[in-house]
Amino acid sequence: MSDLRTPAPVVYEPILSAALREDLGRGGDITTDAVMPANAMVKARVITRQPGYIAGLAISCRAFTLLDDRVEVDVRVKDGAAVRARDVLAVLSGPARPILAAERVALNLMGRLCGIATATGSMVEAVAGTGARVVCTRKTTPGLRALEKYAVRAGGGFNHRFGLDGAVLIKDNHIAVAGGIREALERARAEVDHLVKIEVEVETLTQLEEALEAGVDAVLLENMDPEMLRKAVEIVDGRVVIEASGGIGLGNAAEVAKCGVDVLSVGWLTHSAPALDIALEVEPI
Amino acid sequence: MSDLRTPAPVVYEPILSAALREDLGRGGDITTDAVMPANAMVKARVITRQPGYIAGLAISCRAFTLLDDRVEVDVRVKDGAAVRARDVLAVLSGPARPILAAERVALNLMGRLCGIATATGSMVEAVAGTGARVVCTRKTTPGLRALEKYAVRAGGGFNHRFGLDGAVLIKDNHIAVAGGIREALERARAEVDHLVKIEVEVETLTQLEEALEAGVDAVLLENMDPEMLRKAVEIVDGRVVIEASGGIGLGNAAEVAKCGVDVLSVGWLTHSAPALDIALEVEPI
Amino acid sequence: MSDLRTPAPVVYEPILSAALREDLGRGGDITTDAVMPANAMVKARVITRQPGYIAGLAISCRAFTLLDDRVEVDVRVKDGAAVRARDVLAVLSGPARPILAAERVALNLMGRLCGIATATGSMVEAVAGTGARVVCTRKTTPGLRALEKYAVRAGGGFNHRFGLDGAVLIKDNHIAVAGGIREALERARAEVDHLVKIEVEVETLTQLEEALEAGVDAVLLENMDPEMLRKAVEIVDGRVVIEASGGIGLGNAAEVAKCGVDVLSVGWLTHSAPALDIALEVEPI
Amino acid sequence: MSDLRTPAPVVYEPILSAALREDLGRGGDITTDAVMPANAMVKARVITRQPGYIAGLAISCRAFTLLDDRVEVDVRVKDGAAVRARDVLAVLSGPARPILAAERVALNLMGRLCGIATATGSMVEAVAGTGARVVCTRKTTPGLRALEKYAVRAGGGFNHRFGLDGAVLIKDNHIAVAGGIREALERARAEVDHLVKIEVEVETLTQLEEALEAGVDAVLLENMDPEMLRKAVEIVDGRVVIEASGGIGLGNAAEVAKCGVDVLSVGWLTHSAPALDIALEVEPI
Amino acid sequence: MSDLRTPAPVVYEPILSAALREDLGRGGDITTDAVMPANAMVKARVITRQPGYIAGLAISCRAFTLLDDRVEVDVRVKDGAAVRARDVLAVLSGPARPILAAERVALNLMGRLCGIATATGSMVEAVAGTGARVVCTRKTTPGLRALEKYAVRAGGGFNHRFGLDGAVLIKDNHIAVAGGIREALERARAEVDHLVKIEVEVETLTQLEEALEAGVDAVLLENMDPEMLRKAVEIVDGRVVIEASGGIGLGNAAEVAKCGVDVLSVGWLTHSAPALDIALEVEPI
Amino acid sequence: MSDLRTPAPVVYEPILSAALREDLGRGGDITTDAVMPANAMVKARVITRQPGYIAGLAISCRAFTLLDDRVEVDVRVKDGAAVRARDVLAVLSGPARPILAAERVALNLMGRLCGIATATGSMVEAVAGTGARVVCTRKTTPGLRALEKYAVRAGGGFNHRFGLDGAVLIKDNHIAVAGGIREALERARAEVDHLVKIEVEVETLTQLEEALEAGVDAVLLENMDPEMLRKAVEIVDGRVVIEASGGIGLGNAAEVAKCGVDVLSVGWLTHSAPALDIALEVEPI
């Protein structure tokens, strides 16, 4: 798990700094600063309240040291690990004020990223043994794509393209305007750079055959039921990557995966995964 | 509903511009630009796929005109409105390329804000008639607090403090370090500015009485069961605002509200509400 | 004084970095770099040229280390302290070039914040013994509100709301459009969140009684003379916080305070306080 | 006056947008939005409460249209004009909410810039007929240098260098480290680009003669009394520009100017000029 | 040529605004504003001084309207067009001051982008008829990648990956650390997302065969002479895309292309192409 | 050379951070992270592939430590030094991933700045002994002016004004609109601040005499041939600085310099100098 591709500080520190400014406002933590003496020291533990997968733990804890570099953070769990309820994720020690003031910013980001990792991890478990990959989409939170895509990887999933410039994905709207799958694919192939893959979304087996004939790198089977998926897998016969999409949840992921598709793409992982419940327990020292 | 307090363009346009840059990357929408001629014009409808409450519709549609000011947007539904599946929220017309390129950014923000409004609206419906308010917390997405707080208002809810500088909220961690509720409240009252309210979180009825005696503007009853809530309401007897918090969901919101509390605060509205499913349907013109 | 609520580095470092870029321009300190060898070392003392109160000393000195982290800064005086002319506030040592290049940026910010603290401190002295608080307004410099509000606290004052979202303050313009104090207050109470206080500005005793009847948390008595202030205090009779505003200077602060008001709000502290005269004395080492 | 060199929108709009976000916070103008219906329209007049000189009027009024482009602004007075108390500077019309919400941001900037212009204008009047110029320094507010330098010009003054890269100004600290005026000037002349002037600060007539001999473009006479100033003017005899600096106020500006110096540089104009008192008067329409 | 994929305003306007601020500094265009009356109007023509290909013309001219929206810009030539010396690219009319003040910013960007397009166009001409594509690399100017990649497209070239996250490109340094081509490719295939292509850089024919065996989407033949290139083309035999790289200039591009490679990648296009000489000719109106 | 005036971290770190984000995109270095284990350590040397002058070496290497502060950088050559092909400029050691991921960003900036220094150094060598200075113009890359001006200094050249607010330079377009050299100069002298020099561009000897009579600090002789240059030098006779401009390259620089001009200004140094070829050689440790 230590080999996850981790976002760089130049990517996540501006997000944390902006989030701290957003929460501190123009007056700072008026509660903590009124109630706690400046020299009060605490020890604090970051603890799960439910089982899940961890992502963005060290990244989120950077909020504490960005606020005050005297805070010491001991991260106890690696991103990608499965945890149980009441596991200690990290131990903090240092001045009470910044630890309490940064708590919400750290937990907000951590809860979201661990929530995504947990949703992903559950789906990866569900399809275990089928060889199918669980993949997220571009349905991410504005400003957080790099981190949310990372959380999916931490949960054992893979990423779809990172943005509109990452690969060609021809969808129904494109096909409608272009005048057909063949027309769209011809234009794409003429325009596209040599390290860019082309995928096309198809809704019927006829469209699938049209796409295969025109030449593609991958096909996205949109909203097909298991029977049609199996037929599609048979038609493709290993020639291109097959991605299933649309309405895939924990309940049907295994069934879809067993149809023989290579990739299950799941928008829900990033746009609707509930946050993982994580708390900070503080004690004076 | 036209009187909602709406975020200003100086607040949301930087978020949309950053989200567009995040999705366009350094190469732009390589699919659309390859497949669609520059002069292709389309009409497109923003359509719900499930019922819910609307928030941030006009704000999110600004993504289209930020990308290309030739796009025309006709917003059909006001923020705060309840909609059914297949309702038309907005109609766009203009050049195909920017409409397709901005689609995901617009839908990502819209889906999230409508999801929060829908979660809020459902809970507001659940407590209808009790007089209790549904209120969100500071458990928001980094960078999106102003918009997510707005979505809660659009769903019929109210906002808790906007940040750490908005009000004093003394929690268990503060009490532990300060050495007691009375000590914490005394310090707070001495420090705090004259337009700032003070709320204290209590977990027992003894703490509640201690807080009332020491003097507060509001009490947050943390994780109390209905029986204890009713006793607390009786003790307070209208002297201060009563907020119930902890484990409140659609299933038990009415029961909690009927205990006589003034405010139900629900972190779930902003950190775990699923996105509302909204789609863009495009046709060539 | 060590317990002042201090702005965080994520708040003030961007201000200092921008100010350094503004002064360095595109060419840097062409004087110092031409005249001083790169290896010249100096010792420098930050010294007051007039008595006053200190605010933002360590914050401003961060300009030196932001420019070059080899500069060592020994801050000798705490924010909030009273100083005399010729007091040594801080001692710097390190390479000559960055110390001279950052001098103006550091002194500009320090002079302004100490000027505000000094103006505040003088007024706090003037009302000593009356129990009245000296409070600043939203009449701050664009971009510097968090720091200027802090300088007021360092001078012994308190803060009014931090921004438009911090509390409800109904002024003459609102009353004019709303159609009356009662109407304005009713709308405010219906809309406002449970941790937000409501204050109303009144110019006559009739308005004051109307406001008290309609229910408020605080009243702002605008431009009343001492006689009317005393009557107002009598009418309020301890029910709500009383703030006096308008034309309050060092000359009349005590008189106003003795009328029995709780708060004196003074725009002048932040929009017109003269800078405290502070210099940097450098000697080669 | 129409020919003043005016800062560009790319310079001042980011300052206004940041100031609006600073005041709106994360919740917006909770007072106005609660009290005023969204469709309330008003007319408002920007009015002086004291005489002065105007600077940054149109620039500051951009705050209203940045917040809502439906606001119409009719600027009635040009920057650089002298005004009396109760003059109407601008007339606004449009929706009530943005006009009230942007009021403080607009007035804060306007008050500061007009305050600087007024201080400058008073000093320019004081030295009228002497041929001496009134000039500001680098003692400006962090982030506002371009606007404050402009306000000085609007008041009839001139600008000193815009930053550390604008000209060489050798001060006492430089001379101390360099080992003498001659040494400092020699190094400067060898290093400096061909369009850069060199000025040296001198405190005695001996230093002045040393500087003139070594060759300079301008001399800054620091803290000299009128008698010494007159001697210095005699010594210089028109060979270089003469700038007087240190302790120059409205009381002694004419006396200093009459000594025959070319330039009076006055830090006070930008670091300590009181804001001009300007108000917004609103009426429903 | 109207179908080029053009960068969006949200991408290029921040670059232009920053460049304007960089050139205006804190004092603005002191020459133009001193010499030209504010009401002087001019007509100006953007004219080539040498033949070339055009890129970023409309984008660069946005500098004029960003500075002052009263300037009217009539763009006469489309990006991608070939032009001769003395061709009129655009005609401006409006107030003299902003047209002269924005001139250098507009021409600096335009000259650079047209320089890249011209270099690309020359190379595309050189390989015309061979079927080989001319492709740029990641050797772009910090902050300008999106625009420089666009300029290459405008010149008839194609783009390599837009950044480190666009495709896998295994180079000598990777192979050295990984322990061999096969090891590197195996790891890459296991990790990489389904829409990402894998290319490997090889320096010998042995390495080429090793890469083909291990499975790749493209091979980059580094610094091979024509004879070795021809052998490599024979070995690959159409199975994967072949890219030639290293030391390709106008002198040998045709020779390399005729070896049968698919892609010529040329770092020089973006890191060393001389600017196209373009001038602004102004006449009073 | 250690005494070069070096840009500050507050100036160059934002450029490097933005460049890293531009290259990392939203997914990071997918190649390195797939192929290299997280714990792989390397040693790497930054090596020239051609002779030249060095500029921005330490600045560019900051990219490595900004990406990961565990990387150690040992800079072996000072900016301003002349180097041969295969010289080792710096030695890096640390984790393989960030060293490879930051390589391109570091080399892109370094190559450009060293390219400018090399072009400058060559021209400085060409005019050695003539006393003429080599000077760059405002024809710099958007966003990089401070660094490119620095690279010129590192190459032994000098800088022209840093931006539009640095000095008055009256060009043909100004003269045309102003109605003549004398008119333009009179206006400039009346407006301009006391530390600002005035230069005028002339194309004929008649214009030159007109300028000298009207009074200037420097003259820019535009596109004059050697014979005319020599006449101009004679006319000026040491009264003002003489700058030659237009069409100056390595081939004719010495000839121009020998005409007796003080300054050769060369736009080519910054807008068209080819990058210096620098590589990173990596070995596992």
Side-chain angles (χ1 to χ4, degrees), chain E residues 171-188:
Chain E
K171 298 193 181 177
D172 53 352
N173 286 333
H174 298 107
I175 296 169
V177 177
I181 286 181
R182 173 173 308 278
E183 290 74 6
L185 277 170
E186 271 167 13
R187 286 191 202 158

Side-chain angles (χ1 to χ4, degrees), chain A residues 2 10 77 106 151-152 196 199 209-210 221 225 232-233 240 259 262 268 274:
Chain A
S2 68
V10 293
V77 173
V152 168
V196 172
E199 182 171 30
E209 304 211 26
E210 195 180 344
L221 309 179
D225 63 25
V233 169
V240 302
C259 296
D262 303 297
W268 169 81

Side-chain angles (χ1 to χ4, degrees), chain E residues 27-171:
Chain E
D29 185 350
I30 58 175
T31 305
T32 298
D33 293 342
V35 168
M36 307 255 179
N39 59 3
M41 305 295 282
V42 295
K43 188 173 167 182
R45 291 175 307 157
V46 178
I47 290 185
T48 49
R49 286 183 172 157
Q50 56 180 138
Y53 287 83
I54 298 305
L57 178 57
I59 288 173
S60 303
C61 285
R62 181 75 177 103
F64 296 104
T65 55
L66 273 175
L67 199 54
D68 190 327
D69 57 16
R70 294 171 301 164
V71 177
E72 289 188 16
V73 177
D74 178 13
V75 173
R76 297 279 173 87
V77 172
K78 283 189 178 168
D79 281 2
V83 295
R84 293 159 305 176
R86 303 288 314 156
D87 273 5
V88 176
L89 301 183
V91 176
L92 315 175
S93 58
R97 286 179 168 187
I99 288 177
L100 287 181
E103 170 188 355
R104 180 64 15 236
V105 166
L107 295 185
N108 280 353
L109 185 59
M110 197 185 298
R112 170 171 303 271
L113 298 182
C114 292
I116 292 171
T118 299
T120 307
S122 306
M123 199 156 286
V124 168
E125 285 169 18
V127 303
T130 65
R133 287 177 169 191
V134 174
V135 165
C136 62
T137 67
R138 284 168 44 244
K139 297 180 179 176
T140 56
T141 309
L144 299 184
R145 183 165 294 168
L147 299 187
E148 294 186 346
K149 291 269 185 183
Y150 166 67
V152 168
R153 299 197 298 270
F158 285 78
N159 299 144
H160 218 290
R161 53 183 184 159
F162 290 110
L164 289 163
D165 63 342
V168 168
L169 175 45
I170 299 172
K171 298 193 181 177

Side-chain angles (χ1 to χ4, degrees), chain F residues 100-211:
Chain F
L100 287 180
E103 170 188 354
R104 182 63 14 237
V105 166
L107 295 185
N108 280 352
L109 184 60
M110 198 185 296
R112 169 172 304 271
L113 297 182
C114 293
I116 291 172
T118 300
T120 307
S122 306
M123 198 156 286
V124 168
E125 286 171 16
V127 303
T130 65
R133 287 177 168 192
V134 174
V135 164
C136 61
T137 67
R138 283 168 43 244
K139 296 181 178 176
T140 56
T141 309
L144 298 184
R145 183 166 293 168
L147 300 187
E148 295 187 345
K149 292 269 183 183
Y150 167 66
V152 168
R153 297 196 300 270
F158 284 78
N159 298 146
H160 218 290
R161 53 183 184 158
F162 290 110
L164 289 164
D165 62 343
V168 167
L169 176 45
I170 298 172
K171 298 194 182 176
D172 53 351
N173 286 333
H174 298 108
I175 296 169
V177 177
I181 285 181
R182 174 174 308 276
E183 290 74 7
L185 278 170
E186 272 166 14
R187 286 191 203 160
R189 259 204 316 276
E191 290 283 342
V192 108
D193 301 317
H194 72 286
L195 287 188
V196 172
K197 284 194 177 173
I198 299 177
E199 182 172 29
V200 69
E201 176 186 303
V202 299
E203 293 174 2
T204 66
L205 299 181
T206 314
Q207 282 189 314
L208 173 60
E209 305 211 27
E210 194 180 345

Side-chain angles (χ1 to χ4, degrees), chain A residues 142, chain B residues 8-21 66, chain D residues 17 21:
Chain B
V10 293
V11 169
Y12 63 77
E13 285 183 3
I15 294 170
L16 288 168
S17 294
L20 286 167
R21 282 190 289 267
L66 273 175
Chain D
S17 294
R21 282 190 290 266

Side-chain angles (χ1 to χ4, degrees), chain B residues 62-72 95 97-99, chain E residues 8-9:
Chain B
R62 180 76 177 104
F64 296 104
T65 55
L66 273 175
L67 199 54
D68 190 326
D69 57 17
R70 294 171 302 164
V71 176
E72 289 188 14
R97 286 180 169 187
I99 288 177

Side-chain angles (χ1 to χ4, degrees), chain F residues 250-272:
Chain F
L250 278 177
N252 64 343
E255 188 184 8
V256 172
K258 285 176 188 155
C259 296
V261 302
D262 303 298
V263 170
L264 278 64
S265 72
V266 190
W268 169 80
L269 301 178
T270 48
H271 68 61
S272 296

Side-chain angles (χ1 to χ4, degrees), chain B residues 58-107:
Chain B
I59 288 173
S60 303
C61 285
R62 180 76 177 104
F64 296 104
T65 55
L66 273 175
L67 199 54
D68 190 326
D69 57 17
R70 294 171 302 164
V71 176
E72 289 188 14
V73 177
D74 178 13
V75 173
R76 297 280 171 87
V77 172
K78 284 190 176 165
D79 281 2
V83 295
R84 291 159 306 176
R86 303 289 313 156
D87 274 4
V88 177
L89 303 183
V91 176
L92 315 174
S93 57
R97 286 180 169 187
I99 288 177
L100 286 180
E103 170 188 355
R104 182 65 12 239
V105 166
L107 295 185

